[in-house]
Amino acid sequence: TGQYSIVFSNASYKEKTIKIFVKPGENPLNEVSLLPAAKSLSGITVVAKKPLIEQKDDKIIFNVEEDPAAKTETAIEILRKTPFVSVDGNDNVMVNGQGNFKVLLNGRETAMFATNIKEALKSFPGSVIMKIEVITAPSAKYDAEGIGGIINIVTKSKVAGYNGSLSSSYRTTGWQTNNGSFNIKSGKFGLALTG
């Protein structure tokens, strides 16, 4: 029992509010009519976004373009967020818990990732990556016998140009390391130097 306000609404009809007082054993609500609302649409815009993570038949896809932070990160920082890929504090990469994997660039093997995967990933800019595909059970088409997984980095356009990195670290135990890498790619030619 008590007094209530009931709001009736429906698409393309004017909203209607009625006040009712309910007493025990009574139904004070009768048929309610709504008047049409005269509105015309000038146009409709449908906006859709890709999900950040997709699952396809044999792979997990991390859509890097949908991650706003990825524009300022390197490939190894993006891999930290990629499912089935783990990166430890020393930037060692594992796929599905295994250190035996291949890194492909646009579906092909490249010398850039053949020698020192860790340094190449640290110097690869995230701004050119469109998506990262992780295949944990690669089929024979990838020539992947004995491989624990595949990371396929798909870029927005053909990668051309050069990049490099220098890093230095010092620990309180007195241990110091200095690292450097330089990558250059032009057409089918690619060169990766690490030291």
Side-chain angles (χ1 to χ4, degrees), residues 7-24:
V7 179
F8 296 88
S9 64
N10 196 3
S12 71
Y13 286 89
K14 290 181 182 175
E15 196 174 88
K16 188 172 192 178
T17 304
I18 27 175
K19 293 184 178 178
I20 59 167
F21 187 77
V22 180
K23 295 178 184 173

Side-chain angles (χ1 to χ4, degrees), residues 130-153:
M130 185 169 67
K131 62 184 175 180
I132 295 177
E133 300 173 344
V134 180
I135 305 165
T136 54
S139 62
K141 78 174 182 176
Y142 294 104
D143 190 25
E145 189 176 343
I147 299 291
I150 290 176
I151 298 172
N152 183 26
I153 299 173

Side-chain angles (χ1 to χ4, degrees), residues 83-101:
F84 294 110
V85 178
S86 59
V87 182
D88 66 14
N90 293 324
D91 294 330
N92 295 314
V93 182
M94 295 183 85
V95 176
N96 210 19
Q98 297 183 37
N100 186 21
F101 61 91

